[in-house]
Amino acid sequence: MEPTNHHHNSAASSPPARRSICPNCTRPQPVCLCKFLPSPPIATKTQIIILQHPHEAQHKLSTTPILTKCLLNATTIVNRRLKPGLSDLLDRSPTAVYLFPPTPHSSPPINISELDLTSSSSPDSNLVLIAFDGTWKHAKEMVRSSEEFLSRFARRICLDFDESVDGGSIFDSELILRKEPHGGCVSTMEAVARCLRVMEADGAEIEVRLIGVLREMVRLQAGFLKPMNPRPKLLKTKKKTKNKSEREDEIR
């Protein structure tokens, strides 16, 4: 009689190994971006403040952590709204602009391409750019709840935006990580890059460098995505349409 084997399968009982995380860019090693990050970080006259929703701070595809690694003068505030006491810089009521598309009942924002920087700040002060990082729903709530504070010193600006057009996804563009809600909506990193193109003397070069990092981030992430298959409902609809067309052909 063979002795009973009481040994357990250690591979089956042990928890799966956790992914190795890069301590610098805080991304998983297979999608580490360190070799693409500018070194040293890009210095700008513009001070950039990003209000990041607490939920977005937990999202693995947020571009804000990488953006603040790329820019020397970029700061993140994790909160649901801007208010006194969160930022020494904002508490001093600097000359500032905040970036968000037009929304119902809001004052028309200035398109970034039409921003007059000569009247925006004095020679001794640097302009502050404020961006909001969150889902479309969260970002609108953050802007709405921050506007009373921002109205004291900041003007609203926007990029080209079309709410009637559906936004793209990572399968449509080399610069999109997540499905965007509307045409013209872009990631926080791309939005800041496009603003700095206008706001900085060497803005075109800064934009190219930031977009280059974003493009690599999307490329690495896309390598781990499975091809999108049509949803069952869409397949069913297409099948019905095909069958109807075939029946009409038979009647003719």
Side-chain angles (χ1 to χ4, degrees):
M1 183 175 178
E2 294 291 331
T4 305
N5 186 355
H6 294 287
H7 294 291
H8 295 287
N9 186 336
S10 58
S13 59
S14 61
R18 297 190 65 180
R19 290 187 300 178
S20 177
I21 303 296
C22 172
N24 182 46
C25 70
T26 66
R27 292 179 57 76
Q29 289 292 355
V31 290
C32 172
L33 287 167
C34 287
K35 66 180 180 180
F36 303 110
L37 299 180
S39 181
I42 302 168
T44 58
K45 288 189 64 177
T46 307
Q47 298 286 326
I48 301 101
I49 292 181
I50 302 164
L51 181 67
Q52 187 176 45
H53 193 278
H55 290 181
E56 191 68 18
Q58 305 301 318
H59 204 292
K60 297 173 183 175
L61 293 182
S62 171
T63 59
T64 292
I66 296 301
L67 177 61
T68 54
K69 295 275 185 191
C70 293
L71 295 173
L72 182 64
N73 296 322
T75 305
T76 303
I77 298 173
V78 179
N79 209 298
R80 295 173 186 268
R81 68 186 179 102
L82 288 173
K83 56 186 178 181
L86 289 180
S87 164
D88 291 339
L89 176 59
L90 297 185
D91 285 347
R92 296 196 295 269
S93 297
T95 304
V97 293
Y98 64 101
L99 177 66
F100 203 71
T103 50
H105 312 300
S106 70
S107 300
I110 303 167
N111 191 291
I112 183 64
S113 62
E114 300 170 359
L115 182 64
D116 181 8
L117 294 178
T118 58
S119 62
S120 296
S121 60
S122 65
D124 298 327
S125 65
N126 295 329
L127 193 62
V128 177
L129 169 65
I130 302 165
F132 297 84
D133 185 27
T135 63
W136 179 238
K137 177 178 180 294
H138 286 157
K140 284 195 292 185
E141 293 170 354
M142 291 158 70
V143 171
R144 188 163 54 245
S145 59
S146 300
E147 281 192 306
E148 181 180 353
F149 174 63
L150 290 173
S151 64
R152 304 174 191 175
F153 57 87
R155 293 186 296 166
R156 186 165 173 169
I157 62 171
C158 70
L159 303 173
D160 293 326
F161 172 81
D162 190 345
E163 196 168 3
S164 66
V165 178
D166 193 31
S169 73
I170 194 171
F171 296 97
D172 308 316
S173 169
E174 59 182 3
L175 297 180
I176 298 177
L177 277 164
R178 288 183 276 172
K179 181 71 173 71
E180 298 293 356
H182 306 297
C185 287
V186 296
S187 68
T188 303
M189 189 164 184
E190 184 177 353
V192 170
R194 288 170 63 179
C195 286
L196 292 179
R197 178 186 178 90
V198 175
M199 298 169 71
E200 291 289 310
D202 55 346
E205 180 186 347
I206 292 173
E207 181 188 37
V208 167
R209 295 178 70 184
L210 291 177
I211 293 300
V213 176
L214 177 59
R215 185 176 285 112
E216 290 300 330
M217 187 176 180
V218 175
R219 181 184 65 80
L220 290 172
Q221 195 64 40
F224 291 87
L225 292 179
K226 296 179 180 178
M228 282 183 66
N229 294 320
R231 288 174 290 179
K233 186 177 179 181
L234 293 178
L235 288 173
K236 191 175 181 181
T237 303
K238 288 180 180 179
K239 187 174 181 181
K240 283 183 178 179
T241 304
K242 182 179 179 182
N243 291 340
K244 182 179 178 182
S245 176
E246 288 175 348
R247 286 197 301 272
E248 289 175 348
D249 289 341
E250 289 174 359
I251 292 172
R252 293 194 190 101

